[in-house]
């Protein structure tokens, strides 16, 4: 019920941001995209990144898939996110916040509802990892603004963790309406600004630079962009998959297997592993560990939304360019590379420092958060049939099990005391409020 009241108060009768756009061609990266076949691309097309990698491979020999992915995505000169990072209908892939403003609005309500459940602390930081175009935070800030009567006394600040200078500029434009101030002296941030609604915003390259304190963390399609190691079971045991130069075709890369087991195979593969092919993302483990430590110490919560599995899938490494599947080893730096998030690994890496909820399917989370009610209000208030069609279309993209509804998951980290009263006697009088989105009862 608290969530329903928040929904009514936060969301006015109509969309405030923009009309949802029509994604006739746009593809989410969650599965195979719309294109079917990988985009045709001449094998000899040597991008600057490919030339850099060829030099490196000639000098050092094969590299791990993680090293290859890190270079292709975030190399400071030629990485995909550094130079291109093209998100949205006209870009390489589309994400839920870009499809509908309702997505970010419901996530904004989630944070307000957790803030209330925590006893309305006097201040909180909203920390977003990998904010893309800044759309999600913009939609959340609009909700905070709508709920000003409730939270205006709370000291809120926004902290964005972004490696791409290009995307951080786009975010500054979206959130502040102009350029951010570069290299401010008074903070560990590389850029700062003020939101259109007067909330301070800071940019960092690493979560470690973000100040400590009561924080709500958000990672939407962030973990899937972090570098993975790949392992293959062979008759001789586990071998790591590496990237090497193809000796048969000039300027072309290929996958090879490490000739013997490596420390990584020993360290990352569990003895009880049943799969034949395994992907591990140690960087995701490190980030989730940091979030868990921070939440354990200072309080708050983390919401992670991404496509992924619970330790069951095998080969999910893929590339996207212009909404089409793109061969991961072709023209590196010009396409987004991604792999499914292993939520069982994230849960394991919290090491019990926080409680975890989920992963639950996106369509269940959004339904629990009241997306149907929101759709009804927007439909009732839209004047033309074209807008109504777009509303239905974007709802379908987010919720349809065959589109983004089933393969995207929500996963949360919460302090243990949020889910269970500490062992105190006498018994506390009031039960703990359920966590919005993860509980079906809330909207009934
Ligand atoms: N959350 C956004 C964008 C997802 S794309 C959305 O849903 O629309 C991935 C984002 O993570 C981009 O902003 C990219 O630049 C950023 N990113 C990728 N690797 C990163 C890293 N190692 N550290 C910080 N940001 C990273």
């Amino acid at each position: 019920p608290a969530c329903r009241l928040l929904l009514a108060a936060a969301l006015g009768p109509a969309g405030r941001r923009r009309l949802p756009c029509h994604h006739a061609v746009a593809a989410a990266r969650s599965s195979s995209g719309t294109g079917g076949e990988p985009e045709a691309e001449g094998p000899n097309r040597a991008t600057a990144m490919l030339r850099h990698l060829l030099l490196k491979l000639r000098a050092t020999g094969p590299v791990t898939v993680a090293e290859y992915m890190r270079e292709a995505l975030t190399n400071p000169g030629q990485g995909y996110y550094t130079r291109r990072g093209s998100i949205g209908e006209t870009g390489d892939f589309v994400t839920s916040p870009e499809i509908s403003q309702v997505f970010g609005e419901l996530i904004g309500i989630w944070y307000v509802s957790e803030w209330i459940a925590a006893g309305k602390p006097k201040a909180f930081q909203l920390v977003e990892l990998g904010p893309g175009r800044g759309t999600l935070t913009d939609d959340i800030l609009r909700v905070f603004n709508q709920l000003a009567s409730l939270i205006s006394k709370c000291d809120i600040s926004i902290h964005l963790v972004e490696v791409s200078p290009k995307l951080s500029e786009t975010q500054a434009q979206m959130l502040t309406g102009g350029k951010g101030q570069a290299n401010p002296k008074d903070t560990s941030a590389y850029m700062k600004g003020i939101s259109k609604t007067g909330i301070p915003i800071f940019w960092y390259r690493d979560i470690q630079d973000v100040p400590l304190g009561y924080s709500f963390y958000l990672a939407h399609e962030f973990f899937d962009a972090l570098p993975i190691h790949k392992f293959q079971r062979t008759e001789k045991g586990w071998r790591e998959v590496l990237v090497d130069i193809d000796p048969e075709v000039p300027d072309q890369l290929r996958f090879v297997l490490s000739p013997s087991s490596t420390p990584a195979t020993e360290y990352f593969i569990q003895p009880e592993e049943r799969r034949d092919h395994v992907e591990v993302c140690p960087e995701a483990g490190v980030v989730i560990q940091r979030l868990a430590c921070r939440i354990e110490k200072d309080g708050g919560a983390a919401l992670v939304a991404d496509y992924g599995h619970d330790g069951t899938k095998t080969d999910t490494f893929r590339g996207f360019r212009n909404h089409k599947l793109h061969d991961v080893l072709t023209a590196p730096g010009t396409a987004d590379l991604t792999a499914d998030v292993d939520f069982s690994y994230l849960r394991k890496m919290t090491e019990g420092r926080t409680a975890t909820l989920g992963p639950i399917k996106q369509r269940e989370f959004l339904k629990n958060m009241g997306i149907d009610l929101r759709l009804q209000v927007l439909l009732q208030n839209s004047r033309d049939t074209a807008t109504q069609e777009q509303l239905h279309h974007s709802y379908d993209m987010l919720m349809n099990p065959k589109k983004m509804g089933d393969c995207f998951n929500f996963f949360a980290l919460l302090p243990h005391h949020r889910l269970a009263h500490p062992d105190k006697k006498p018994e506390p009088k009031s039960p703990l409020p359920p966590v919005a989105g993860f509980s079906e009862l809330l909207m009934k």
Side-chain angles (χ1 to χ4, degrees), residues 8-47:
L11 309 170
R16 293 277 194 282
R17 165 153 60 89
R18 59 191 144 76
L19 292 178
C21 39
H22 190 70
H23 294 271
V25 292
R29 297 181 298 170
S30 49
S31 50
S32 56
T34 49
E37 288 301 302
E39 194 179 8
E41 185 77 58
N44 294 326
R45 206 194 123 140
T47 57

Side-chain angles (χ1 to χ4, degrees), residues 29 70 73-74 80-82 85 87-88 93-98 103 128-136 161-165 167-168 171 204-207 218-227 283 287 305 336:
R29 297 181 298 170
R70 184 177 299 110
L73 290 183
T74 57
Y80 170 78
Y81 283 118
T82 323
I87 305 163
F93 59 93
V94 70
T95 59
S96 295
E98 302 297 333
F103 186 81
E128 189 181 0
L129 306 173
R133 299 180 63 242
T135 310
L136 186 48
V161 179
E162 176 58 73
V163 278
S164 160
L167 282 171
S168 61
Q171 292 150 17
Y204 314 82
R205 284 186 193 87
D206 196 289
I207 179 74
L218 173 59
H220 183 260
E221 291 212 31
F222 169 74
F223 285 102
D224 69 82
L226 299 183
E283 232 171 89
V287 174
D336 182 40

Side-chain angles (χ1 to χ4, degrees), residues 29 95-97 103 107 111 128-130 136 217-224 288 302-308 341 343 346 359-362 365-366 407-412 438:
R29 297 181 298 170
T95 59
S96 295
F103 186 81
I107 288 183
Y111 287 114
E128 189 181 0
L129 306 173
L136 186 48
Y217 300 92
L218 173 59
H220 183 260
E221 291 212 31
F222 169 74
F223 285 102
D224 69 82
I288 211 81
L303 196 57
V304 175
D306 225 311
Y307 36 84
V341 172
F343 288 100
L346 298 191
I360 69 164
K361 293 181 167 106
Q362 169 158 307
F365 180 87
L366 295 178
C407 46
F408 277 82
N409 298 275
F410 277 75
F411 177 74
F438 291 88

Side-chain angles (χ1 to χ4, degrees), residues 418-433:
R418 174 66 182 86
L419 299 183
H421 282 296
D423 223 357
K424 256 199 258 153
K425 283 178 187 157
E427 277 292 297
K429 280 186 220 105
S430 55
L432 291 161

Side-chain angles (χ1 to χ4, degrees), residues 239-254:
R239 296 288 182 262
E240 180 154 12
V241 178
L242 305 172
V243 175
D244 196 6
I245 302 173
D246 190 332
E248 311 273 311
V249 190
D251 292 353
Q252 185 153 314
L253 303 174
R254 61 166 186 174

Side-chain angles (χ1 to χ4, degrees), residues 108-159:
I109 290 176
W110 192 85
Y111 287 114
V112 176
S113 129
E114 276 312 295
W115 173 74
I116 294 172
K120 302 184 183 171
K122 287 197 180 61
F124 70 79
Q125 312 188 124
L126 176 68
V127 183
E128 189 181 0
L129 306 173
R133 299 180 63 242
T135 310
L136 186 48
T137 287
D138 197 44
D139 290 338
I140 293 173
L141 283 179
R142 204 176 46 254
V143 168
F144 289 175
N145 199 43
Q146 291 283 317
L147 292 172
S149 58
L150 186 66
I151 60 171
S152 65
K153 288 207 184 84
C154 180
D155 184 6
I156 302 174
S157 54
I158 305 294
H159 303 262

Side-chain angles (χ1 to χ4, degrees), residues 12-15 18-20 374-392:
R18 59 191 144 76
L19 292 178
R374 180 62 179 149
L375 177 72
Q376 288 316 318
V377 173
L378 288 175
L379 284 173
Q380 278 159 19
N381 290 286
S382 61
R383 285 182 205 104
D384 54 294
T385 47
T387 311
Q388 293 188 341
E389 261 176 39
Q390 283 175 334
L391 285 167
H392 279 296

